[in-house]
Amino acid sequence: MAPCFTFKVLVLIPLFVVTVASAEKDISAHKVAYLYYFSKFITWPSSTFSEQGDINLCVGEISENMAFQLSTIEGKRIGHHQLKTVNILKNPKGGVSNDNISKPLLKRCHLLYINIKMLDWFQQYSSELPHYTLTVSDNMPEENNSLIHLHRRDNRLSFEIKAQLAKMKGIKISSKLLKLSKERKAP
Amino acid sequence: MDSQCDRQDQMYKPKRYINTALCLLPFVMLGAPNCYPQTAAELIEIQFEELVSMEIEVESAGKQATKAFNLPYATHVITAEDLQRYNIQNLPDALRMAPGTLVEQMGAGEWGISIRGVGGRFSRYVLILLNGRPLNNAAFSGVNWDEINISIQNIQRIEVIRGPNAAAWGANAVNGIINIITHRAADKAGNKLRLSAGEVYKGNAEALYSRDINQHWHHSFSANTSQQKGLRNHDKTLQEKDLKNWRLSYIVEKTSPSENFLISLSHFESEYSSYAFIQQGPNVQALENITEKQGSALLANYSNKISEVTSLRGKISYDSLNRDFTNYEWDSQHLQAEVDAQHHYENFRLDYGLSYRNTEGTLYTNADFPIQLSENDINIDYLGAFISGSSDIPQYDLSIKLAARLDHNSLTGSEFQPSLRGIWKINDSKRFWFGLSRAASIPSVAVMTSRETVVENIPRNETSPFPIFVYARGGDDVKNTLVDAIEIGFRHLWENMNIDVSLFHFSYNNDIGIQTTGTPRLSMFPPDQNSYLIQDAAFVWERDFDTKGIELSYLGRIRDKYTIELSYSHSRLEENTPGVEQLASIQVDIPLTEKIKTSLWGRYSSGNDTYVTDEFSVADINLHYAPHPSLLLTYTAKNLGRGRYINGRTEIFSLEGYLIERGHYLSLTWEF
């Protein structure tokens, strides 16, 4: 009985090693999963919510795959709120420019996902964002004004948080999220 | 391949199951590429810590918060999610998840936890901590787990560090430490209510409530009560009373960027019964030992980041316990204070600290109790100082840690406990670590001050017309047991899995043994039918022995949907060393639909010392249904397979084993 069990354990493990090690990660899915968790472990002041009580996750020009992944978490419940994806571009195919960005929609963003295509606009117009917006930059130069910096590190997706800056903006970040992040210093 | 599969998914969703089936076939055969579409919705079913992958920080090992992956220790962390997934109702059951950890249940209210062998009810080689406060008792050694009846909902995580950690924590951190860490008030753990009822757990209720007082101050309150079925003996003629207990805990905490201050208060009461060995003349019998306990604890923690490179931590705790048993009374009070400092100088980190502990108490036993003491008062002072230096050597991708601790106690004197550990960061995903250390364990007061303890009773037989009782007394030359340990380990992290292997060799010196003195004598002369033979003996500290073994743990996620966790340990123990040769556990999580999940947990042991626990092969099935995001209904069928079995016996105190049984129960968890 005992050697048989040992044998099974020893045989099973290499099987899984081969199996799972060969699996490739869909990085868009992971980024969106992280965005979901950011909205789950962060608390915004109650005054920032509309009557519907949605947590608005704002995006600009994003890949089709990213859009598909965002659609899979659309409407997920987070506490008393629902997660809603909002595209802040008036014309989604019109590129990222200040003219093409809807200011009323921008004012409703709890999270704003910023990729390299939005970097120039963000650097120039970040002051137009509401004070409570949590900005998440994706794989961009580390020295930007975002609160959370998402990037690939050691072959894994990692993130860093400017905890002090978030606090100043009245955004509460759970200790669980802080523990899993690397703290960044505000520039 | 991945993107192709994604496109297939979007274009041919109705064919998803065919696609899945086709993908499964080569997967089962030899492990195929991942064709299964991976969506964010599926990924968020995975706990965030797992998604970030082995980034969990462990603070108990060497008192340094370090990512588990980079620790030169064999480490396992049981998270709050694990506790929920397997519908855990008490702490010892949670520890069955940790590799190399043997959990023995001797009764409804009695457990023994050991790591890497040398187990038993009074095992003194594992240090148990609750938020850093030691819980091992000095009177009998071991831990009274019924006195740690904290709410499972209030546990943030349990850190299980295998191997010596005495350089940081002091005496008894020999084979491992278990640090139970509860939610802090500032954790935003949320408000929870869990109700459970069924065969094994007849009625458990837990409530956790936390809220912010203002921006910096937070507080939380937890309350729990439980009733757990008493165990029965083999022929079901003796039935223990149910374990009934309750606890209230309150935490108030202040947080700021550089400072943290926490005060925690708790009070508990507990009652149960067990059947204890008593001797009346030549006869032995089982007496129902009804137990009532109550206790309170106060803990204050303070930490301050004085500068970018220097931090200070202080801790004071006090607890008081009253225990009333049918045949003995035992009260104890512990006062503990410690202060630690940490400095960083580029690649070098220096930690040092001082600790003081005082244990006071009384222990009065009835005449028929198997242990009679020469002193009834207990008063022990412990003093300790430690220093630890860690250095990164980037050119060789090495981190080395040299630590030492000097402990002194008023019973057994001083002990020096050094440790050298290192980790080689082979690359981003591989680590090799080693540890060389010495640790000491202090014998129990009951053994040291024993006037006479019945360590063995032999009934009348062909060679002796009288029953024989062996009485041992405490020796004069009391020594600490010293353990020299060598450990090595390797861990490898992939995208969706990790493997952790460790090997150990421990050499024990001066362990407790029993040496007979003189020849047997009659209890009375001339003898009659009530006479018996008395064999005098003494506890001696001369036993030397070795243990060695291997531990392996594996965590894998298949198609980012199913989670498998395996742990296996094999220990080679010398004769008369209580322990288990092989221990294994397999945990599988299978989401069935968005609202329904199942979690399976199999446990196995073999090569067991007969005094410890029966060999077993059992499984638990948990079925979870979440009708609403804030509600979770879990049905658990427990200990399937083996049926009734002995999971441990109390040495000296007990005449026979009491069996744990299969059962099922239902839990409702509400987060609000």
Side-chain angles (χ1 to χ4, degrees), chain B residues 291-302:
Chain B
T291 305
E292 289 177 3
K293 299 180 181 182
Q294 55 176 297
S296 302
L298 166 71
L299 171 75
N301 266 346
Y302 176 74

Side-chain angles (χ1 to χ4, degrees), chain B residues 491-529:
Chain B
R491 41 183 86 103
H492 193 158
L493 184 65
W494 285 269
E495 289 279 340
N496 286 336
M497 64 169 281
N498 61 65
I499 278 183
D500 200 334
V501 184
S502 46
L503 290 105
F504 66 90
H505 183 168
F506 289 1
S507 298
Y508 295 74
N509 298 292
N510 311 332
D511 194 36
I512 298 174
I514 294 160
Q515 196 173 62
T516 54
T517 52
T519 52
R521 56 190 163 84
L522 275 165
S523 60
M524 62 175 75
F525 195 84
D528 61 16
Q529 72 274 16

Side-chain angles (χ1 to χ4, degrees), chain A residues 1-10 12-38 40-44 64-65 68-74 76-80 83 152-159 164 167-168 170-183 185, chain B residues 1-2 6 9-10 13 27-34 38-49 51-57 59 67 69 81 156-157 184 186-188 212 214-216 255-257 308 428-429 431 493-497 499 552 554 556-560 564 566 568 570 582-586 594 604 606 617 628-629 672:
Chain A
M1 176 86 181
C4 178
F5 185 86
T6 313
F7 174 74
K8 283 176 190 171
V9 170
L10 293 174
L12 272 173
I13 287 166
L15 177 68
F16 284 118
V17 171
V18 176
T19 304
V20 189
S22 61
E24 280 185 41
K25 192 191 278 184
D26 180 335
I27 200 74
S28 298
H30 276 73
K31 284 176 186 172
V32 172
Y34 273 48
L35 291 172
Y36 167 84
Y37 275 112
F38 294 155
K40 186 174 177 178
F41 291 116
I42 286 169
T43 309
W44 285 270
E64 279 184 25
N65 205 20
F68 166 71
Q69 296 296 348
L70 282 166
S71 72
T72 68
I73 61 162
E74 180 71 15
K76 288 276 180 197
R77 285 208 73 84
I78 296 171
H80 300 299
L83 188 64
R152 214 171 165 135
R153 181 171 64 97
D154 297 347
N155 211 25
R156 293 195 298 280
L157 202 58
S158 296
F159 61 96
Q164 282 302 312
K167 210 166 193 175
M168 285 159 60
I171 300 169
K172 285 185 189 169
I173 300 175
S174 81
S175 57
K176 182 171 185 169
L177 196 63
L178 288 172
K179 276 178 191 163
L180 292 168
S181 74
K182 284 189 77 175
E183 188 169 355
K185 292 193 177 77
Chain B
M1 189 66 190
D2 217 10
D6 284 342
D9 176 60
Q10 288 169 45
K13 273 188 180 169
F27 166 80
V28 171
M29 296 298 290
L30 46 77
N34 183 8
Q38 185 184 46
T39 66
E42 289 166 343
L43 284 176
I44 62 177
E45 299 300 325
I46 300 168
Q47 293 305 322
F48 196 37
E49 292 92 338
L51 200 66
V52 180
S53 191
M54 278 198 85
E55 296 276 315
I56 299 175
E57 278 202 341
E59 64 183 40
K67 303 248 190 267
F69 188 55
E81 289 74 21
Q156 195 217 42
R157 66 183 189 280
R184 291 166 38 188
D187 268 355
K188 285 174 62 183
D212 298 338
N214 58 37
Q215 192 185 354
H216 295 298
T255 55
S256 74
E308 282 299 310
D428 285 347
S429 59
R431 297 288 184 273
L493 184 65
W494 285 269
E495 289 279 340
N496 286 336
M497 64 169 281
I499 278 183
L552 192 150
Y554 162 86
R557 283 189 300 276
I558 301 167
R559 288 173 285 140
D560 282 329
I564 291 189
L566 271 172
Y568 171 77
H570 185 109
Q582 297 197 85
L583 271 175
S585 157
I586 178 165
E594 194 176 330
Y604 169 87
S606 74
S617 179
H628 184 272
F672 56 97

Side-chain angles (χ1 to χ4, degrees), chain B residues 198-215:
Chain B
E199 277 185 331
V200 184
Y201 304 103
K202 292 183 172 176
N204 292 4
E206 299 168 76
L208 175 66
Y209 174 79
S210 61
R211 67 174 298 167
D212 298 338
I213 299 169
N214 58 37
Q215 192 185 354

Side-chain angles (χ1 to χ4, degrees), chain B residues 18 26 58 80 84 101 179 187 198 229 320 341 434 436 452 463 484 493 619:
Chain B
I18 299 170
V58 174
Q84 175 136 321
T101 305
N179 193 5
D187 268 355
K229 188 182 172 186
S320 173
F434 71 90
L436 301 168
E452 57 175 40
T463 55
D484 293 318
L493 184 65

